[in-house]
Amino acid sequence: MTCPACSSNDTSAFYHGGLVPVHSCLLVADEQAAKHFPRGNLELALCHGCGFIFNQRFDPSLSAYSADYEETQAFSPLFREFISDLASRWIARYDLNGKTVVELGCGKGEFLVEMIRAGAGRGVGVDPGVHPERIPPDVEDRITWVPGFFPEDYPQLDADAIICRHTLEHIAPVADWMRTVRSAIGTRIDTVILFELPDVRRVLQEGAFWDVYYEHCSYFSAGSLARLFRRTGFEIVDIWPAYDDQYLIIEAKPAPSPEPAARPLAIEDDIDAIAATANTFAIKHTEMIESWREQLHRVVDVGGSGVIWGSGSKGVAFLAALGDESGLIRAAVDINPFKHRKYMAGTGHQIIAPKELVGIQPDLVIAMNPAYLDEIERDLDALGVQTKLEAV
Ligand SMILES: [Zn+2]
């Protein structure tokens, strides 16, 4: 198959994930509907030309992204601190005080709010899932919401900064889309481009199957991301890992000429390493699932119970990977009140509030993101729930 990032035909599949739920974050109000949620094929391929990884069976027509999408992590204090620090850093580094910022794929808008609070003058948020009623009153008159997509509903990018966080990994024709971004900026080459997305290197190294799911059709390392940016008309200012190496942040500027010659940064030299870890991903993945199954059996077989903490995409992927044995998990806990009493796509597990653990008294809590372990431990202590706590 042709690489969507560099058009090379030198690509090969390395992981077959089978049929998985096509959405992980859509709220499903009914258990049966959750269990019969539409599925799509997941088959990861690696491009040997540029290091890009993609689901070569991805079908965009199965996607139904809308206002029912509940992806926000903003109920977590740790996450809020992260986005607030990042907003302050970008405002200072790129002198965005009083300037206009546009965020493509702004989700519920929490980052745009942070940018305004950190000093940006005006914000435009483009996303079909925006909920303007959730925006705090102190910034609402400085933010314009476009409930739709770029470029269909918002074709021109006339701003001091273009922000795009956790969105590019949902787009299949990545090079075409980046070229559209570049041409929408036009001659305004002082615009700064700020992207954040998951780092596939860590996913592959750790066999992190919970980070591979249908909505993520495109997977980048620092190298493949930088190469895509250069190929589509951007110059890289900086690229760095963030949030316990889970994310990549790239800061770029439009290049005056289409394919600028530039010396790659040291962090980009990763094609061989990515190829090597891709080859071991399937084995690591199987070992990891086996070890969780065994651990859950040790708890459940003696009358105990286990729950997962985190009902987002990682949770859906984790339960799907357990397959027939997902019943070993009693429920999914989430701190986002908008998700309570809803069901997980695929396996139909109910999403419950942390306080319901008082009645369940679980013997094992599996955190879907190690970054939140301290936070979860504090919540469990506050509730008086004594349990073993582990993270994927
Ligand atoms: Zn490629």
Side-chain angles (χ1 to χ4, degrees):
M1 190 159 171
T2 303
C3 170
C6 77
S7 304
S8 163
N9 289 318
D10 187 10
T11 66
S12 57
F14 65 91
Y15 170 68
H16 301 267
L19 281 166
V20 298
V22 296
H23 283 290
S24 314
C25 292
L26 272 184
L27 296 177
V28 189
D30 173 72
E31 185 178 355
Q32 285 310 311
K35 284 184 175 162
H36 296 104
F37 204 80
R39 286 162 198 269
N41 263 301
L42 198 148
E43 188 171 82
L44 294 185
L46 167 72
C47 172
H48 301 275
C50 74
F52 180 61
I53 287 171
F54 58 104
N55 176 7
Q56 62 175 6
R57 304 283 299 275
F58 182 75
D59 176 359
S61 72
L62 295 175
S63 134
Y65 186 70
S66 73
D68 289 333
Y69 201 80
E70 194 58 56
E71 80 294 2
T72 186
Q73 292 177 278
F75 291 96
S76 156
L78 180 74
F79 190 78
R80 281 204 301 271
E81 189 186 324
F82 169 67
I83 61 173
S84 151
D85 288 352
L86 182 61
S88 301
R89 174 189 165 123
W90 277 345
I91 294 282
R93 184 167 191 186
Y94 296 102
D95 192 19
L96 295 172
N97 266 303
K99 305 279 182 65
T100 298
V101 298
V102 169
E103 184 172 4
L104 304 177
C106 66
K108 302 290 175 277
E110 48 271 301
F111 189 73
L112 206 47
V113 169
E114 291 303 325
M115 287 295 288
I116 300 288
R117 285 182 176 159
R122 206 180 140 258
V124 178
V126 184
D127 197 297
V130 295
H131 279 270
E133 76 280 4
R134 287 199 209 171
I135 299 306
D138 62 307
V139 295
E140 64 182 354
D141 61 338
R142 283 188 285 163
I143 299 182
T144 306
W145 301 108
V146 180
F149 293 95
F150 168 84
E152 296 87 338
D153 307 295
Y154 192 79
Q156 294 305 317
L157 297 177
D158 182 12
D160 298 291
I162 308 296
I163 298 167
C164 184
R165 299 177 56 255
H166 299 275
T167 296
L168 191 59
E169 68 273 24
H170 296 254
I171 292 165
V174 284
D176 292 347
W177 196 80
M178 287 305 299
R179 280 191 193 98
T180 308
V181 171
R182 177 65 192 89
S183 84
I185 292 169
T187 53
R188 193 165 168 184
I189 56 168
D190 61 327
T191 307
V192 47
I193 317 297
L194 307 166
F195 275 45
E196 178 188 318
L197 58 163
D199 187 346
V200 75
R201 189 188 50 171
R202 191 196 57 88
V203 174
L204 295 174
Q205 277 169 354
E206 298 180 6
F209 58 87
W210 50 89
D211 278 330
V212 174
Y213 41 88
Y214 199 77
E215 287 146 310
H216 283 185
C217 48
S218 299
Y219 297 81
F220 290 94
S221 64
S224 60
L225 186 61
R227 285 183 274 282
L228 174 73
F229 267 62
R230 286 206 189 87
R231 198 176 301 113
T232 53
F234 296 93
E235 285 171 1
I236 317 300
V237 178
D238 202 357
I239 181 164
W240 43 283
Y243 215 56
D244 284 351
D245 291 348
Q246 293 187 32
Y247 302 152
L248 274 174
I249 292 182
I250 187 165
E251 302 170 356
K253 292 200 161 172
S257 59
E259 291 224 19
R263 208 141 50 112
L265 307 168
I267 191 176
E268 298 173 37
D269 180 19
D270 59 8
I271 291 190
D272 292 345
I274 293 292
T277 46
N279 284 331
T280 57
F281 177 73
I283 299 164
K284 278 215 178 106
H285 166 274
T286 311
E287 285 172 358
M288 189 81 85
I289 294 168
E290 257 333 295
S291 117
W292 282 112
R293 277 197 188 121
E294 280 168 22
Q295 190 164 176
L296 281 161
H297 270 295
R298 282 199 292 277
V299 169
V300 175
D301 293 354
V302 295
S305 66
V307 299
I308 61 167
W309 189 298
S311 71
S313 308
K314 291 167 193 270
V316 168
F318 183 82
L319 293 172
L322 287 175
D324 294 342
E325 296 197 273
S326 67
L328 292 167
I329 299 287
R330 168 94 171 256
V333 182
D334 207 292
I335 54 174
N336 178 347
F338 294 104
K339 295 181 135 191
H340 298 157
R341 301 281 142 212
K342 301 287 200 292
Y343 296 86
M344 306 278 284
T347 55
H349 284 75
Q350 193 175 44
I351 303 168
I352 61 172
K355 66 172 189 283
E356 292 181 65
L357 292 179
V358 175
I360 295 175
Q361 291 294 329
D363 303 278
L364 175 63
V365 174
I366 307 172
M368 291 296 106
N369 192 332
Y372 299 137
L373 269 179
D374 290 347
E375 202 169 295
I376 295 169
E377 196 165 7
R378 277 197 300 276
D379 286 354
L380 289 169
D381 283 348
L383 290 165
V385 174
Q386 303 275 325
T387 176
K388 189 173 176 191
L389 172 62
E390 297 224 2
V392 291

